[in-house]
Amino acid sequence: MVVVVAMNDPGRMLEQMGMPAAQQFVPAFPASAGAGARQPLPKQLTAAIKNCTSLDRLAQLYYAHQAVLNSIHVAAMITKLPKLDTSMHNQAVPPPGGMPWVLSTASAQQAQLKKLLQQLLLRLKAHGCSDYSSRGVANIVWALAKLQCGLDAELRAMLLDTFCNRLATAVPQDISNVLWGVAKLTKERTAYAANNQAPAGPNPPGLMQPVGFSSSADASLSSPSLSPASSPTVGNSGGVSMQDWQMLGLPSGPLQDPAILQAAASTPLLAQEQVRLLLQHLCQQLDSASVQTISNSLWAVVVLQQEHQWCLCNCLAEVQSLLSVFCDQPQAALPGHI
């Protein structure tokens, strides 16, 4: 017997197929969005983005439906990217002689991620942040930090200044995400700039690099440039393209003077007064702040103080409040939080 089920009744369809009721139904959209192709409703596309389990699927959704992508879709894709596994650690152990293929596949994944992220950032700049709540902005900052994608001047003003202007609606998790993201990007930007002042060579162990970046030691495995034409390299960067410097939030012109590069890397993403305001607002909501939120915020304050050589005496009361609440909940703290 053949059972015909209307596509607008996914629950009935799952029941007839014998699938668990709790399993989510994600409509399958056409692989290409030509002139006559059916486009999903905005909520359907948002659900499909949230249910993506691979970079390939997310890229497929972007290129098939880019004509109907709105600002919410763009934000959802950016925040989804760091949650997708773009490494090769889930691949089966390759046979002898198979490692080059695995490495080239990983490099292709990095290139795909980098290209998609560039397209999403262009759309983010075009749309602006008017449609995003403080949480939406905070999630984007968190995602870009996880992706190790630096903020250029336009993105910095768009995201961080917007968040500070909407601080009244931010909850502790939002503030912590922004502080953590800014501190992580600042720390990696400084380390990367310092590393590229030295003669080209392998990066120090443990140095985290932005997506698609590589030292001269592994240049053969680096992902290709985002543009079809090869980009000129900058200074003594071991083959880092202008676009790579821009993604790190550093100047893209020739930087022969290490002092210029260091000055660009040390420019605060958040002003000291903005950090103080964020901490003040966080402390006003300590009754709803988790141990992890407090721990991440304190880590961020320490990193920013060290990176910018700030005197944060005017934030001492807030830091003491955060520490006091943290120490009152030792059972909830994991070793990493401590």
Side-chain angles (χ1 to χ4, degrees), residues 109-271:
Q109 285 270 298
Q110 285 190 336
Q112 184 182 27
L113 172 59
K114 185 177 174 183
K115 181 178 180 181
L116 178 58
L117 180 57
Q118 184 200 37
Q119 296 297 320
L120 289 170
L121 291 180
L122 290 175
R123 284 181 173 266
L124 176 63
K125 291 180 178 181
H127 288 148
C129 291
S130 60
D131 293 336
Y132 301 142
S133 64
S134 54
R135 165 150 295 186
V137 175
N139 288 344
I140 293 173
V141 173
W142 171 87
L144 294 179
K146 292 286 286 186
L147 292 167
Q148 298 170 266
C149 174
L151 305 179
D152 60 21
E154 183 178 357
L155 274 178
R156 189 214 66 79
M158 180 188 300
L159 294 172
L160 298 180
D161 289 350
T162 297
F163 181 82
C164 291
N165 291 335
R166 299 175 185 173
L167 187 56
T169 62
V171 299
Q173 184 65 56
D174 303 335
I175 299 171
S176 177
N177 281 350
V178 168
L179 287 172
W180 179 88
V182 167
K184 188 173 188 293
L185 287 173
T186 299
K187 190 176 181 67
E188 291 169 1
R189 184 177 66 168
T190 302
Y192 194 78
N195 182 61
N196 281 276
Q197 292 179 33
N203 287 312
L207 176 62
M208 301 179 70
Q209 297 183 16
V211 172
F213 285 23
S214 65
S215 67
S216 59
D218 63 356
S220 61
L221 303 176
S222 64
S223 58
S225 172
L226 290 176
S227 60
S230 59
S231 302
T233 58
V234 182
N236 194 11
S237 60
V240 179
S241 70
M242 283 187 176
Q243 289 165 324
D244 288 336
W245 286 111
Q246 290 169 341
M247 287 191 71
L248 193 59
L250 296 173
S252 57
L255 301 174
Q256 302 297 337
D257 186 354
I260 298 177
L261 180 58
Q262 188 61 42
S266 61
T267 302
L269 296 174
L270 277 175

Side-chain angles (χ1 to χ4, degrees), residues 267-295:
T267 302
L269 296 174
L270 277 175
Q272 187 172 347
E273 178 62 15
Q274 289 177 315
V275 173
R276 186 183 69 83
L277 292 175
L278 263 61
L279 289 175
Q280 281 185 346
H281 193 68
L282 174 58
C283 288
Q284 293 170 5
Q285 307 176 70
L286 281 180
D287 56 336
S288 61
S290 69
V291 167
Q292 182 178 3
T293 293
I294 296 173
S295 175

